[in-house]
Amino acid sequence: MPHTLDADAVRMWCGLALDALGRARADIDAINVYPVADGDTGTNLYLTVESAAQAVDAAFNGHAASAAASRPTLADVVRAMAHGALIGARGNSGTILAQLLRGMADVLAVGAAAGDPPAGDPPAGDGAGAGDCDAPAAGAADAAGPPAGAADADGLRRALRRAADLAYLAVAHPVEGTVLTVAVAAAEGAEHAAGDVAAVARAAYEGARTALRATPGQLDVLARAGVVDAGGYGLVTVLGGLAEALSGESPAALAPARPRPATPAPVASDGQDPGACPADGAPDGGPAFEVIYLLEADETAVTALRERLDALGDSLVVVGGDGLWNVHVHVDDAGAAVEAGIQAGRPYRVRITHFGAAAGKADAGAPDRPGPAAVLPDQPGAQDPTGGPRAERATRAVVAVVPGDGLAALCAEAGATAVATRPGEPPASGELVDAVRRTAAREVVLLPNDTELHHTAAAAAAQARAEGVRAAVIPTRSAVQGIAALAVHEPGRSFDEDVVAMTSAAGATRYAELAVAERQSWTMAGVCQAGDVLGMIDGDVALIGSELAATAEAVLDRMLASGGEMVTLVLGAGLPDEVAERLERHVREGHFAVDTVVYQGGQPTAPLIIGIE
């Protein structure tokens, strides 16, 4: 069902884009070959959009918690999205994406309120809205204008053009065949599209997708590797989320991002992702460090900063405005790049990555492509300027995401670092990275314990590798699978052997969860009514009952019918001990040689979680 471009659509867009980038993250990382192959473009884009999505959610939550319990406007949400992307931008492609979102916000925030382009738009002769004069006349659906608090098709056309123009201005030395080329194609596709806002979004996506396919013909290194531009692939993925949010239909699928098997993968080397990096960042003689920081400064100081940083290195991208900027550059003298920021204003969240270590790891065939990062002392996880740790690291640690205090205590007893979730507030990748840092371990195993958190955990693992930590994610789908993995964890054996053993134990554990239906709904087991007890096995509703203990017994019988040696019961907050005693008795009397163990999980949402090993 088509949707207007309003605050809810932007929130949906962020969620769809984040989910799509999560699925494509590893593939996008794998095709990062220009100008150097550091393999983190997909991760950088995921983290950037994750920050934008969190800012949008915060805007909704803030309005809901206000005295008037209001809803945010389109202007509120697009500005929050742009700000979130700015402060969370990672890498060249993430930084450029943040500027693209800022350009769209410039138009949509003002246009939703006044229907006019924002002050400061470049004149048509300078490229802003260059295609507007060629845009088809609005259809009947547009003639009446969008609903209050929404943008129309022409507003989206101008927003995409403004985004492309600002992105080009942010890059010191633009290169065609990159994310910039794809952004321009999206704007042009939108400008030549007739119809409503959904039709314009689909045309932008198709224009970007066509341009992406052509990038190997614009950059020889892409053609030799048999891949398209990684940053451009990420942008097309984000635009696909926009088209789906506005049209209600998934757009045509992108071609697989993986390199062609017949083409040897390029040797990973130093550097950052391909988003408009100049050719002088190539492995032979490229700068040794990537420097990123947020900067509070006025525009005059930033103009001077651009000139100074451009003389120091390459891959310079400076985005932002209104006193807050995100600075990204590759240099040999990292200290000089930070000093330049200090002279311009107040830099913070300074991050320095040494590319030489990345090249060494790639040559050795190690999966941890990015080199260790130095996080300067104004943030968690501070390290020495060389990228080394401040204190001796532990050998190996486990980070587990759990939904209750009891489970968190259980994980802590087993030696794991627990990240507790809150109802309706899943942890962001940054929270998992902070937990990894707290372990001070050289090797870390992450247990997401929720299917919806697999992408988040994968992004956190990629960030941990960038800081010199060997990290692996075991795709646990429930807390009971995490408990099974922890039970066989053995730090004394090799990392790979430990991961294999933990993965095997988790995979051998079937899981179920009991929940109470909040409303009438269709399920795999039929129609449920509000207040019914739902027995979900391996994520699907298998049974509907009226009483929790009886439904739990039915779930246990169904699961144990195919065998099992151990039953794990994790009791939710407020569940009476009598229920556990009844279920233990049921297993003991009805299933020979099956043991039962009970834990007080304290999870607030699921009254009972069941594991069968």
Side-chain angles (χ1 to χ4, degrees), residues 72-516:
T73 65
L74 174 61
D76 294 330
V77 170
V78 294
R79 286 171 179 147
M81 175 183 67
H83 180 76
L86 175 66
I87 63 175
R90 296 297 187 99
N92 262 357
S93 290
T95 308
I96 292 171
L97 177 61
Q99 191 73 340
L100 289 166
L101 295 179
R102 177 182 174 84
M104 293 186 70
D106 281 351
V107 173
L108 296 176
V110 175
D116 295 320
D121 263 353
D126 291 337
D132 288 356
C133 58
D134 297 326
D142 281 345
D152 61 8
D154 188 57
L156 181 56
R157 294 184 189 102
R158 290 186 291 107
L160 290 167
R161 172 55 64 182
R162 170 73 169 171
D165 291 340
L166 281 191
Y168 263 91
L169 291 173
V171 178
H173 302 287
V175 172
E176 297 304 323
T178 65
V179 62
L180 295 178
T181 307
V182 175
V184 169
E188 291 175 347
E191 288 165 349
H192 292 87
D196 61 12
V197 68
V200 171
R202 286 193 299 267
Y205 172 80
E206 289 298 335
R209 192 163 71 110
T210 300
L212 178 66
R213 290 196 295 265
T215 55
Q218 297 170 296
L219 284 175
D220 289 342
V221 66
L222 298 179
R224 289 195 300 270
V227 298
V228 295
D229 178 66
Y233 194 103
L235 176 59
V236 175
T237 302
V238 171
L239 291 171
L242 175 62
E244 183 174 353
L246 294 177
S247 68
E249 300 176 354
S250 298
L254 276 170
R258 291 284 184 179
R260 292 197 298 262
T263 304
V267 177
S269 182
D270 55 329
Q272 188 51 265
D273 65 73
C277 291
D280 55 4
D284 48 341
F289 296 95
E290 177 192 56
V291 179
I292 305 173
Y293 50 81
L294 292 178
L295 177 70
E296 292 179 357
D298 59 38
E299 292 197 20
T300 302
V302 169
T303 299
L305 175 66
R306 290 179 194 269
E307 295 178 0
R308 183 169 180 183
L309 291 179
D310 194 25
L312 286 174
D314 58 38
S315 301
L316 174 62
V317 184
V318 181
V319 304
D322 300 324
L324 180 62
W325 311 82
N326 191 308
V327 179
H328 172 282
V329 66
H330 294 175
V331 293
D332 283 318
D333 190 345
V338 176
E339 181 183 351
I342 294 172
Q343 292 183 355
R346 187 179 80 87
Y348 61 103
R349 294 194 186 179
V350 180
R351 186 179 182 85
I352 301 170
T353 302
H354 183 249
F355 290 140
K361 287 181 181 180
D363 292 341
D368 304 336
R369 298 184 186 91
V375 184
L376 297 197
D378 66 342
Q379 58 182 305
Q383 296 174 310
D384 290 333
T386 61
R390 294 189 184 278
E392 183 65 24
R393 285 183 179 271
T395 301
R396 187 177 307 150
V398 177
V399 172
V401 181
V402 291
D405 293 338
L407 283 168
L410 179 66
C411 289
E413 289 176 9
T417 297
V419 177
T421 62
R422 298 166 296 276
E425 298 180 27
S429 59
E431 293 180 64
L432 302 188
V433 173
D434 287 342
V436 170
R437 290 171 180 155
R438 290 197 302 272
T439 69
R442 295 187 182 93
E443 300 171 340
V444 173
V445 179
L446 289 94
L447 304 175
N449 295 335
D450 187 334
T451 303
E452 297 299 320
L453 293 177
H454 286 180
H455 297 327
T456 303
Q463 285 300 109
R465 295 184 193 113
E467 298 181 9
V469 177
R470 190 177 187 187
V473 177
I474 296 177
T476 49
R477 295 176 289 172
S478 171
V480 289
Q481 290 188 328
I483 292 172
L486 268 176
V488 300
H489 168 53
E490 178 50 65
R493 59 190 166 202
S494 75
F495 183 75
D496 290 338
E497 289 175 341
D498 201 25
V499 169
V500 169
M502 295 175 72
T503 302
S504 178
T509 302
R510 287 166 290 150
Y511 66 97
E513 182 175 302
L514 269 69
V516 178

